[in-house]
Amino acid sequence: MNTKKHNIKEFDVSEYLKTPEDIVAYLNAVIAEDDQELFLAALGDVAKAIGMSRIAQETGLGRESLYKTFSGKTNPRFETIISVLKAMGATIQLNTRTNH
């Protein structure tokens, strides 16, 4: 019997978000899923990729508060989300759909 142990590293998407284009593509893909919890988790991934300390500093929010915001256990205020997006250098743009 083979008792060899494997050390499998947990996947962390933030390690792969290297460019602004990566971040935009990731967030757009998540938005397409229409899942608020998934979107908040994705924002957390992006914040981690950029640097949670930097996001905290630019938003005026504490790091602990940010981690809590992205934990999926809270319902953050819209102004918090906008503040985080702004710190990331991102904006929200709305488009109309042709088929309703």
Side-chain angles (χ1 to χ4, degrees):
M1 180 173 173
N2 187 353
T3 59
K4 185 192 272 188
K5 292 185 180 182
H6 298 281
N7 187 12
I8 299 174
K9 183 180 174 188
E10 187 174 320
F11 179 77
D12 185 353
V13 71
S14 68
E15 295 177 11
Y16 299 90
L17 300 173
K18 303 287 186 196
T19 67
E21 293 80 12
D22 294 341
I23 291 169
V24 168
Y26 177 56
L27 290 177
N28 280 332
V30 168
I31 287 169
E33 294 298 316
D34 197 25
D35 182 329
Q36 179 180 335
E37 288 181 27
L38 183 60
F39 178 69
L40 290 175
L43 278 183
D45 294 335
V46 172
K48 187 175 174 186
I50 291 171
M52 197 65 79
S53 294
R54 178 179 149 204
I55 299 299
Q57 183 179 16
E58 291 189 27
T59 61
L61 300 168
R63 287 181 66 221
E64 295 256 339
S65 176
L66 288 171
Y67 281 113
K68 192 174 184 180
T69 295
F70 303 131
S71 71
K73 298 177 184 175
T74 64
N75 193 11
R77 296 167 50 140
F78 185 69
E79 66 189 58
T80 301
I81 301 304
I82 295 300
S83 180
V84 168
L85 287 169
K86 186 176 179 182
M88 293 176 177
T91 60
I92 294 176
Q93 181 179 0
L94 302 175
N95 295 309
T96 57
R97 294 187 304 190
T98 54
N99 54 351
H100 298 282

